[in-house]
Amino acid sequence: MQKVTRNSRLNRREVLFGAAASATLPFWLPKAAIAQEDDTLKMRLVAEVLVLDPAFRQSESELWVSDAVLPKLINFKAGKAWEWELYCAESVEQVDPVTVAFKLKKGLTWTGDYGEVTAEDVKYSFERYKDTKLAAPNAPTWEPLDRVEVIDKYSGIIHLKQPYSGLFGYVLPHDGGQIVCKRAVEEAGGHFGAETPATSGPYKIVSIRPGEGVKLERDPNWSGITPAFERIELTPIVDSKSAENAIRSGDLDFGEISVSAVPTLRGNMPDGFTMDVLQTNNFFWFCANMSNPDLKNEAVRKAIQMAVDRKTVVEGAFGGIVEPSYCVASKGMPGYVEKPFVQYDPDAARALISEAGETGLTLNLEVTAETDQITAAQIIQANLAAVGIQVNINQHEAGAFWSLPSVLGKNMQLYLRQELQVPPDVTWALQWILPEQAGIWNWQYFIDDEFKRLYDEATQELDPTKRDVILRKVQERIDLSYTSLILLHLPRVILYNNKHVVPAMKPDGNYRLEQFRKIVA
């Protein structure tokens, strides 16, 4: 993690009304700074919160909220190392490779008079992923689960069908481990959206409104450590430059900003602000839907990948502060590959297109309306134009972008997608491109039986060295499809008011909101 601070004072009027700021500042921000409220933390959401049901949740913003209001047995620690700690469990013990015993802390209560959090709630929460009638899109998370056995009110045993390398690597301490209230969810019809029927966490939800974001306040019935801030207000701001302006102007205390802002801020950090640059497992990739008629030809997909200059994309769109990546796994993770499978070679790309008889091709490229991603799309557009492929760029607000599979289906052609909330186990990311995810999260419609076999083998292998070998083979299967070109692993850049807040973040910058500390002037 890199941390940058500087005491060069920045005039507020210059931030709010400078040429660059006025072009991107959202219309709803007030013209005068809002005085800091000691008990309120104001933060950015990168997208609207639409679904807090863990089995149906979509965005990272939803993870931040649900993590503060729903219990889990264990949670990732705040800090630089990927380690977990007990959260709502008094104990968790792996008895053998397929058996995990747990005991909940007593006194954890649900809102709405639903009583205590129980082992029956844990059983319901994990087993509902396997309910075919529920058809939860996040069902792969718990695919290796056999059942949860309830021993008594607070104790139970998780039984797996086979060893599961991701159980402690991403399921239990991540969103798959979130517990919902059985009675409340059943009364709500079996699943829920943003209106969570019952919560149990350091915070409870006051309101969730489109455009206005989410308001949280301390839950007085929470039996854990009392959070420092009484209230948290999370405001959706899609564009990172607008978010940066809002933080620098004092309208927000804390939030994620653009990677491309790093070079400028490093040399001109405003007084009272800190910038953290955290390395993550989150990757940014350029993908082709192999089921689309214009992209069914493998030679065309290969030519498209050969036409894209990763280095130019990384330098032009993301400030050149990170190196290009060539695989789903980030550096240091099992499955990491150091060299590209497809080399940048526009001459060879033109030859392939000509041989395939696909000259004069026009394709659509879908992208989120975020500054860095649009720049990346424009560079790719120029790369493909150089080999004779015309690209139309379609920009989408974040919520609309993630709904594209239901709107376009197999008519989707090319897209750029930023994968967020990727925990320290690459199989979490790989599960979303399994064959059964085609059209859900697998927008490439990548279907490969050998990939599925190797994926299953990797999830059951607990030895890191052996898993590394298997996962390299998994990556090769992805590469051979020419559907998925990994461009880079994105750092997370956080800017915050260091006179008001001391953040508590997991290694990749995701939050432990209940552990944030406040500074009172």
Side-chain angles (χ1 to χ4, degrees), residues 55-127:
F56 290 80
R57 190 186 55 73
Q58 299 179 9
S59 76
E60 195 167 36
S61 290
E62 292 163 350
L63 172 66
W64 299 337
V65 175
S66 61
D67 225 27
V69 301
L70 292 177
K72 291 189 287 192
L73 298 176
I74 63 176
N75 205 344
F76 283 124
K77 292 182 179 180
K80 297 180 181 180
W82 282 108
E83 299 173 340
W84 59 266
E85 62 186 354
L86 294 173
Y87 187 53
C88 293
E90 182 179 298
S91 64
V92 175
E93 179 188 2
Q94 182 144 21
V95 180
D96 59 49
V98 294
T99 311
V100 175
F102 67 87
K103 183 176 183 180
L104 287 164
K105 294 176 181 177
K106 297 179 181 179
L108 298 166
T109 58
W110 296 108
T111 57
D113 298 323
Y114 283 102
E116 282 188 277
V117 180
T118 68
E120 190 63 41
D121 291 321
V122 177
K123 175 181 175 67
Y124 175 77
S125 300
F126 298 170
E127 289 185 356

Coordinates of all heavy atoms in Angstrom, one line a residue, residues 55-127:
A55 N -27.4 -13.5 -2.1 CA -27.5 -14.5 -3.1 C -27.9 -13.9 -4.5 O -27.7 -14.5 -5.5 CB -28.6 -15.6 -2.8
F56 N -28.3 -12.6 -4.4 CA -28.7 -11.9 -5.7 C -27.8 -10.6 -5.9 O -28.0 -9.9 -6.9 CB -30.1 -11.5 -5.6 CG -31.1 -12.7 -5.7 CD1 -31.3 -13.5 -4.7 CD2 -31.7 -13.0 -7.0 CE1 -32.2 -14.6 -4.7 CE2 -32.5 -14.1 -7.1 CZ -32.8 -14.9 -6.0
R57 N -27.0 -10.2 -4.9 CA -26.3 -9.0 -5.0 C -25.4 -8.9 -6.2 O -24.9 -9.9 -6.7 CB -25.4 -8.9 -3.7 CG -24.8 -7.5 -3.5 CD -23.8 -7.5 -2.3 NE -22.8 -8.6 -2.5 CZ -21.8 -8.5 -3.4 NH1 -21.7 -7.5 -4.1 NH2 -20.9 -9.5 -3.4
Q58 N -25.2 -7.6 -6.7 CA -24.5 -7.4 -7.9 C -23.3 -6.6 -7.8 O -22.2 -6.9 -8.2 CB -25.4 -6.7 -9.0 CG -26.6 -7.5 -9.4 CD -27.5 -6.8 -10.4 OE1 -27.1 -5.8 -10.9 NE2 -28.7 -7.4 -10.6
S59 N -23.4 -5.4 -7.1 CA -22.3 -4.5 -7.1 C -21.5 -4.4 -5.8 O -21.9 -4.9 -4.8 CB -22.8 -3.1 -7.4 OG -23.4 -2.5 -6.2
E60 N -20.3 -3.8 -6.0 CA -19.4 -3.7 -4.8 C -20.0 -2.7 -3.8 O -19.9 -2.9 -2.6 CB -18.1 -3.2 -5.3 CG -17.0 -3.3 -4.2 CD -15.6 -3.1 -4.8 OE1 -15.4 -2.3 -5.7 OE2 -14.7 -3.8 -4.3
S61 N -20.7 -1.7 -4.3 CA -21.4 -0.7 -3.4 C -22.4 -1.5 -2.5 O -22.5 -1.2 -1.3 CB -22.2 0.3 -4.2 OG -21.2 1.2 -4.8
E62 N -23.1 -2.5 -3.0 CA -24.0 -3.3 -2.3 C -23.3 -4.1 -1.2 O -23.8 -4.3 -0.1 CB -24.8 -4.1 -3.2 CG -25.8 -3.3 -4.1 CD -26.3 -4.0 -5.3 OE1 -25.8 -5.1 -5.6 OE2 -27.2 -3.5 -5.9
L63 N -22.1 -4.6 -1.6 CA -21.3 -5.3 -0.6 C -20.9 -4.5 0.6 O -21.0 -4.9 1.7 CB -20.0 -5.8 -1.3 CG -19.0 -6.5 -0.4 CD1 -19.5 -7.8 0.2 CD2 -17.7 -6.8 -1.1
W64 N -20.5 -3.2 0.4 CA -20.1 -2.3 1.5 C -21.3 -2.1 2.4 O -21.1 -2.1 3.6 CB -19.7 -1.0 0.9 CG -18.5 -1.0 0.0 CD1 -17.6 -2.0 -0.1 CD2 -18.2 -0.1 -1.0 NE1 -16.7 -1.7 -1.1 CE2 -17.0 -0.5 -1.7 CE3 -18.7 1.1 -1.5 CZ2 -16.4 0.2 -2.7 CZ3 -18.1 1.8 -2.5 CH2 -17.0 1.3 -3.1
V65 N -22.5 -2.0 1.9 CA -23.6 -1.8 2.8 C -24.0 -3.0 3.5 O -24.2 -3.1 4.7 CB -24.8 -1.2 2.0 CG1 -26.1 -1.1 2.9 CG2 -24.5 0.1 1.4
S66 N -24.1 -4.1 2.7 CA -24.6 -5.4 3.4 C -23.5 -5.9 4.4 O -23.9 -6.5 5.4 CB -24.8 -6.5 2.3 OG -23.6 -6.8 1.6
D67 N -22.3 -5.6 4.2 CA -21.2 -6.0 5.2 C -21.4 -5.3 6.5 O -21.0 -5.8 7.5 CB -19.8 -5.7 4.6 CG -18.9 -6.8 4.8 OD1 -19.3 -8.0 4.9 OD2 -17.7 -6.6 4.9
A68 N -22.1 -4.1 6.5 CA -22.2 -3.3 7.7 C -23.5 -3.7 8.4 O -23.7 -3.3 9.6 CB -22.2 -1.8 7.4
V69 N -24.4 -4.4 7.8 CA -25.8 -4.6 8.4 C -26.1 -6.1 8.5 O -27.2 -6.4 9.1 CB -26.9 -3.9 7.6 CG1 -26.6 -2.4 7.6 CG2 -27.0 -4.4 6.2
L70 N -25.3 -7.0 7.9 CA -25.6 -8.4 8.0 C -24.5 -9.2 8.7 O -23.3 -8.8 8.5 CB -25.8 -9.0 6.6 CG -27.0 -8.6 5.8 CD1 -27.1 -9.2 4.5 CD2 -28.3 -8.9 6.6
P71 N -24.8 -10.2 9.5 CA -23.8 -10.9 10.3 C -23.1 -11.9 9.4 O -23.6 -12.4 8.4 CB -24.5 -11.6 11.4 CG -25.9 -11.7 10.8 CD -26.1 -10.6 9.9
K72 N -21.8 -12.3 9.8 CA -21.1 -13.4 9.2 C -20.4 -14.1 10.3 O -20.1 -13.5 11.4 CB -20.0 -12.8 8.2 CG -20.6 -12.2 6.9 CD -19.5 -11.9 5.9 CE -18.7 -10.7 6.3 NZ -17.8 -10.2 5.2
L73 N -20.0 -15.3 10.1 CA -19.3 -16.1 11.1 C -17.9 -15.5 11.2 O -17.4 -15.3 12.4 CB -19.1 -17.6 10.7 CG -20.4 -18.4 10.5 CD1 -20.2 -19.8 10.0 CD2 -21.2 -18.4 11.9
I74 N -17.2 -15.2 10.1 CA -15.9 -14.6 10.1 C -15.8 -13.5 9.1 O -16.7 -13.3 8.3 CB -14.8 -15.7 9.8 CG1 -15.0 -16.2 8.4 CG2 -14.8 -16.8 10.8 CD1 -13.9 -17.2 7.9
N75 N -14.8 -12.7 9.2 CA -14.6 -11.5 8.3 C -13.2 -11.3 8.0 O -12.3 -11.7 8.8 CB -15.2 -10.3 8.9 CG -15.7 -9.2 7.9 OD1 -15.3 -9.3 6.8 ND2 -16.5 -8.3 8.4
F76 N -12.9 -10.8 6.9 CA -11.5 -10.4 6.6 C -11.1 -9.3 7.5 O -11.8 -8.3 7.8 CB -11.3 -9.9 5.2 CG -11.3 -11.1 4.2 CD1 -12.2 -11.1 3.1 CD2 -10.4 -12.1 4.3 CE1 -12.2 -12.1 2.2 CE2 -10.3 -13.1 3.3 CZ -11.2 -13.1 2.3
K77 N -9.8 -9.3 8.0 CA -9.3 -8.3 8.9 C -9.0 -7.0 8.1 O -8.7 -7.1 6.9 CB -8.0 -8.7 9.6 CG -8.2 -9.8 10.6 CD -6.8 -10.1 11.2 CE -6.9 -11.2 12.3 NZ -5.5 -11.5 12.8
A78 N -9.1 -5.9 8.7 CA -8.6 -4.6 8.1 C -7.0 -4.7 8.2 O -6.5 -5.2 9.2 CB -9.1 -3.4 8.9
G79 N -6.4 -4.2 7.2 CA -4.9 -4.2 7.2 C -4.3 -4.6 5.9 O -5.1 -4.7 4.9
K80 N -3.1 -4.9 5.8 CA -2.4 -5.2 4.6 C -2.3 -6.7 4.2 O -2.1 -7.0 3.1 CB -0.9 -4.7 4.7 CG -0.8 -3.2 4.9 CD 0.6 -2.7 4.9 CE 0.7 -1.2 5.2 NZ 2.2 -0.8 5.2
A81 N -2.6 -7.6 5.2 CA -2.5 -9.0 4.9 C -3.9 -9.6 4.8 O -4.8 -9.2 5.6 CB -1.7 -9.7 6.0
W82 N -4.1 -10.6 3.9 CA -5.4 -11.3 3.8 C -5.5 -12.3 4.9 O -5.0 -13.5 4.7 CB -5.5 -11.9 2.4 CG -5.8 -11.0 1.3 CD1 -5.0 -10.5 0.3 CD2 -7.1 -10.4 1.1 NE1 -5.7 -9.7 -0.5 CE2 -7.0 -9.5 0.0 CE3 -8.3 -10.4 1.8 CZ2 -8.0 -8.8 -0.5 CZ3 -9.4 -9.6 1.3 CH2 -9.2 -8.8 0.1
E83 N -6.1 -11.9 6.0 CA -6.3 -12.8 7.1 C -7.7 -12.6 7.6 O -8.3 -11.6 7.5 CB -5.3 -12.5 8.3 CG -3.9 -12.6 7.9 CD -2.9 -12.1 9.0 OE1 -3.4 -11.3 9.9 OE2 -1.8 -12.5 9.0
W84 N -8.3 -13.7 8.1 CA -9.6 -13.6 8.6 C -9.6 -13.7 10.2 O -8.7 -14.1 10.8 CB -10.6 -14.7 8.0 CG -10.2 -16.1 8.3 CD1 -9.5 -16.9 7.5 CD2 -10.6 -16.9 9.4 NE1 -9.4 -18.2 8.0 CE2 -10.0 -18.2 9.2 CE3 -11.3 -16.7 10.6 CZ2 -10.2 -19.2 10.1 CZ3 -11.5 -17.7 11.5 CH2 -10.9 -19.0 11.3
E85 N -10.8 -13.2 10.7 CA -10.9 -13.3 12.2 C -12.4 -13.6 12.5 O -13.3 -13.4 11.7 CB -10.6 -11.9 12.8 CG -11.4 -10.7 12.3 CD -10.9 -9.4 12.9 OE1 -10.0 -9.4 13.7 OE2 -11.5 -8.4 12.4
L86 N -12.6 -14.1 13.7 CA -14.0 -14.3 14.1 C -14.8 -13.0 14.1 O -14.3 -12.0 14.5 CB -14.0 -14.9 15.5 CG -13.4 -16.3 15.6 CD1 -13.3 -16.8 17.1 CD2 -14.2 -17.4 14.8
Y87 N -16.0 -13.1 13.7 CA -16.8 -11.9 13.6 C -18.1 -12.1 14.5 O -18.2 -11.6 15.6 CB -17.2 -11.6 12.2 CG -17.9 -10.2 12.0 CD1 -17.4 -9.1 12.5 CD2 -19.1 -10.2 11.2 CE1 -18.0 -7.8 12.3 CE2 -19.7 -9.0 11.0 CZ -19.2 -7.8 11.5 OH -19.9 -6.6 11.3
C88 N -19.1 -12.8 14.0 CA -20.2 -13.1 14.8 C -20.2 -14.5 15.4 O -21.2 -15.0 16.0 CB -21.5 -12.9 14.0 SG -21.8 -11.2 13.5
A89 N -19.1 -15.2 15.1 CA -19.0 -16.6 15.7 C -18.1 -16.6 16.9 O -17.1 -15.8 16.9 CB -18.4 -17.5 14.6
E90 N -18.4 -17.4 17.8 CA -17.6 -17.6 19.0 C -16.4 -18.5 18.7 O -15.3 -18.3 19.2 CB -18.4 -18.1 20.2 CG -17.7 -18.3 21.5 CD -18.6 -18.9 22.5 OE1 -19.6 -18.2 22.9 OE2 -18.3 -20.0 23.0
S91 N -16.7 -19.4 17.7 CA -15.6 -20.3 17.3 C -16.0 -20.9 15.9 O -17.2 -21.0 15.6 CB -15.5 -21.5 18.3 OG -16.6 -22.3 18.3
V92 N -15.0 -21.1 15.1 CA -15.1 -21.8 13.8 C -13.9 -22.8 13.7 O -12.7 -22.4 13.8 CB -15.1 -20.8 12.7 CG1 -15.1 -21.6 11.3 CG2 -16.3 -19.9 12.7
E93 N -14.2 -24.0 13.5 CA -13.1 -25.0 13.5 C -13.3 -26.0 12.3 O -14.4 -26.5 12.1 CB -13.1 -25.9 14.7 CG -12.1 -27.0 14.8 CD -12.2 -27.9 15.9 OE1 -13.1 -27.8 16.7 OE2 -11.4 -28.8 16.1
Q94 N -12.2 -26.1 11.5 CA -12.3 -27.0 10.4 C -11.9 -28.4 10.9 O -10.7 -28.7 11.2 CB -11.3 -26.6 9.2 CG -11.4 -27.6 8.0 CD -11.3 -26.9 6.7 OE1 -10.7 -25.8 6.6 NE2 -11.7 -27.5 5.6
V95 N -12.8 -29.3 11.1 CA -12.6 -30.6 11.7 C -11.9 -31.5 10.8 O -11.0 -32.2 11.2 CB -14.0 -31.2 12.1 CG1 -13.8 -32.6 12.7 CG2 -14.8 -30.3 13.0
D96 N -12.2 -31.4 9.5 CA -11.5 -32.2 8.4 C -11.8 -31.4 7.1 O -12.5 -30.4 7.1 CB -12.0 -33.6 8.4 CG -13.5 -33.8 8.1 OD1 -14.0 -33.2 7.2 OD2 -14.1 -34.6 8.9
P97 N -11.2 -31.9 6.0 CA -11.4 -31.1 4.7 C -12.8 -30.9 4.3 O -13.0 -30.0 3.5 CB -10.6 -32.0 3.7 CG -9.6 -32.7 4.5 CD -10.2 -33.0 5.8
V98 N -13.8 -31.7 4.8 CA -15.1 -31.5 4.3 C -16.1 -31.1 5.5 O -17.3 -31.1 5.3 CB -15.7 -32.7 3.6 CG1 -14.9 -32.9 2.3 CG2 -15.6 -33.9 4.4
T99 N -15.6 -30.8 6.7 CA -16.4 -30.6 7.8 C -15.9 -29.3 8.6 O -14.8 -29.3 9.0 CB -16.4 -31.8 8.8 OG1 -16.7 -33.0 8.0 CG2 -17.5 -31.6 9.8
V100 N -16.8 -28.4 8.8 CA -16.5 -27.2 9.6 C -17.6 -27.0 10.7 O -18.7 -26.9 10.4 CB -16.4 -25.9 8.7 CG1 -16.2 -24.7 9.5 CG2 -15.3 -26.1 7.7
A101 N -17.1 -26.9 11.9 CA -18.0 -26.7 13.1 C -18.0 -25.2 13.4 O -16.9 -24.6 13.4 CB -17.6 -27.6 14.2
F102 N -19.1 -24.7 13.8 CA -19.2 -23.3 14.3 C -20.1 -23.1 15.5 O -21.0 -23.9 15.7 CB -19.7 -22.4 13.1 CG -21.1 -22.6 12.7 CD1 -22.2 -22.0 13.4 CD2 -21.5 -23.5 11.7 CE1 -23.5 -22.2 13.0 CE2 -22.8 -23.7 11.3 CZ -23.8 -23.1 12.0
K103 N -19.9 -22.1 16.2 CA -20.8 -21.7 17.3 C -20.9 -20.2 17.3 O -20.0 -19.4 17.3 CB -20.2 -22.1 18.6 CG -21.1 -21.8 19.8 CD -20.6 -22.4 21.1 CE -21.6 -22.1 22.3 NZ -21.0 -22.7 23.6
L104 N -22.2 -19.7 17.2 CA -22.5 -18.3 17.1 C -22.3 -17.7 18.5 O -22.5 -18.3 19.6 CB -23.9 -18.1 16.7 CG -24.2 -18.3 15.2 CD1 -25.7 -18.4 15.0 CD2 -23.6 -17.1 14.4
K105 N -22.0 -16.4 18.5 CA -22.0 -15.6 19.8 C -23.5 -15.5 20.2 O -24.4 -15.3 19.3 CB -21.4 -14.2 19.6 CG -19.9 -14.3 19.3 CD -19.4 -12.9 19.0 CE -17.9 -12.9 18.7 NZ -17.4 -11.6 18.4
K106 N -23.8 -15.5 21.5 CA -25.1 -15.2 22.0 C -25.4 -13.7 22.0 O -24.5 -12.9 22.1 CB -25.3 -15.8 23.3 CG -25.1 -17.4 23.4 CD -25.2 -17.9 24.8 CE -25.0 -19.4 24.9 NZ -25.2 -19.9 26.2
G107 N -26.7 -13.4 21.9 CA -27.1 -12.0 22.0 C -27.1 -11.2 20.8 O -27.3 -10.0 20.8
L108 N -26.8 -11.8 19.6 CA -26.9 -11.1 18.3 C -28.4 -11.1 17.9 O -29.0 -12.1 17.7 CB -26.1 -11.8 17.2 CG -24.6 -11.9 17.5 CD1 -23.9 -12.9 16.5 CD2 -23.9 -10.6 17.3
T109 N -29.0 -9.9 17.8 CA -30.4 -9.8 17.6 C -30.7 -9.2 16.2 O -30.0 -8.3 15.7 CB -31.1 -9.0 18.7 OG1 -30.5 -7.7 18.7 CG2 -30.9 -9.7 20.0
W110 N -31.8 -9.6 15.6 CA -32.3 -9.1 14.4 C -33.2 -7.8 14.7 O -33.8 -7.8 15.7 CB -33.2 -10.1 13.6 CG -32.4 -11.3 13.1 CD1 -32.5 -12.6 13.6 CD2 -31.5 -11.3 12.0 NE1 -31.7 -13.4 12.9 CE2 -31.1 -12.7 11.9 CE3 -31.0 -10.4 11.2 CZ2 -30.2 -13.1 11.0 CZ3 -30.1 -10.8 10.2 CH2 -29.7 -12.2 10.1
T111 N -33.2 -6.9 13.7 CA -34.1 -5.8 13.8 C -35.6 -6.3 13.6 O -35.7 -7.4 13.1 CB -33.8 -4.7 12.8 OG1 -33.8 -5.3 11.5 CG2 -32.5 -4.1 13.1
G112 N -36.6 -5.6 14.0 CA -37.9 -5.9 13.7 C -38.5 -7.0 14.6 O -39.4 -7.8 14.2
D113 N -37.9 -7.2 15.8 CA -38.4 -8.2 16.7 C -38.4 -9.6 16.2 O -39.3 -10.4 16.5 CB -39.9 -7.9 17.2 CG -39.9 -6.5 17.9 OD1 -39.0 -6.2 18.6 OD2 -40.9 -5.8 17.7
Y114 N -37.3 -9.9 15.4 CA -37.2 -11.3 14.9 C -36.3 -12.2 15.8 O -36.0 -13.3 15.5 CB -36.6 -11.3 13.5 CG -37.7 -10.9 12.5 CD1 -37.7 -9.6 11.9 CD2 -38.6 -11.8 12.1 CE1 -38.7 -9.2 11.0 CE2 -39.6 -11.5 11.1 CZ -39.6 -10.2 10.6 OH -40.6 -9.8 9.7
G115 N -35.9 -11.6 17.0 CA -35.2 -12.4 17.9 C -33.7 -12.5 17.6 O -33.1 -11.7 16.9
E116 N -33.1 -13.6 18.1 CA -31.6 -13.8 18.0 C -31.2 -14.4 16.7 O -32.0 -15.1 16.0 CB -31.1 -14.7 19.1 CG -30.9 -14.0 20.5 CD -30.2 -14.9 21.5 OE1 -30.9 -15.7 22.1 OE2 -29.0 -14.7 21.6
V117 N -30.0 -14.1 16.3 CA -29.4 -14.8 15.1 C -29.1 -16.3 15.6 O -28.4 -16.5 16.6 CB -28.1 -14.1 14.7 CG1 -27.5 -14.9 13.5 CG2 -28.4 -12.7 14.3
T118 N -29.5 -17.2 14.8 CA -29.4 -18.6 15.3 C -28.7 -19.5 14.2 O -28.6 -19.1 13.1 CB -30.8 -19.2 15.6 OG1 -31.5 -19.4 14.3 CG2 -31.6 -18.4 16.5
A119 N -28.4 -20.7 14.6 CA -27.8 -21.7 13.7 C -28.8 -22.0 12.6 O -28.4 -22.3 11.4 CB -27.3 -22.9 14.4
E120 N -30.1 -21.9 12.9 CA -31.1 -22.2 11.8 C -31.0 -21.1 10.8 O -31.2 -21.4 9.6 CB -32.5 -22.2 12.5 CG -33.6 -22.7 11.5 CD -33.4 -24.1 11.1 OE1 -33.0 -25.0 11.9 OE2 -33.6 -24.4 9.9
D121 N -30.7 -19.9 11.1 CA -30.5 -18.8 10.2 C -29.3 -19.1 9.3 O -29.3 -18.8 8.1 CB -30.3 -17.4 10.9 CG -31.6 -16.9 11.6 OD1 -32.7 -17.1 11.0 OD2 -31.5 -16.4 12.7
V122 N -28.2 -19.6 9.9 CA -27.0 -19.9 9.1 C -27.3 -21.0 8.1 O -27.0 -20.9 6.9 CB -25.9 -20.4 10.1 CG1 -24.6 -20.8 9.3 CG2 -25.5 -19.3 11.1
K123 N -28.0 -22.0 8.5 CA -28.4 -23.1 7.7 C -29.2 -22.6 6.5 O -28.9 -22.9 5.3 CB -29.2 -24.2 8.4 CG -29.8 -25.3 7.6 CD -30.6 -26.3 8.5 CE -31.3 -27.3 7.6 NZ -30.3 -28.3 7.0
Y124 N -30.2 -21.8 6.8 CA -31.1 -21.2 5.7 C -30.3 -20.4 4.8 O -30.5 -20.5 3.6 CB -32.2 -20.4 6.4 CG -33.1 -19.7 5.4 CD1 -34.1 -20.4 4.7 CD2 -33.0 -18.3 5.2 CE1 -34.9 -19.7 3.8 CE2 -33.8 -17.7 4.3 CZ -34.8 -18.4 3.6 OH -35.6 -17.7 2.7
S125 N -29.4 -19.5 5.3 CA -28.7 -18.6 4.5 C -27.8 -19.3 3.5 O -27.7 -18.8 2.3 CB -27.8 -17.7 5.4 OG -28.6 -16.9 6.3
F126 N -27.1 -20.3 3.9 CA -26.1 -21.0 3.0 C -26.8 -22.0 2.1 O -26.5 -22.1 0.9 CB -25.1 -21.8 3.9 CG -24.2 -20.9 4.7 CD1 -23.4 -21.4 5.7 CD2 -24.3 -19.5 4.6 CE1 -22.6 -20.6 6.5 CE2 -23.5 -18.7 5.4 CZ -22.6 -19.2 6.4
E127 N -27.8 -22.7 2.6 CA -28.5 -23.7 1.8 C -29.4 -23.1 0.7 O -29.7 -23.7 -0.3 CB -29.3 -24.7 2.6 CG -28.4 -25.6 3.5 CD -29.2 -26.6 4.2 OE1 -30.5 -26.6 4.2 OE2 -28.6 -27.5 4.9

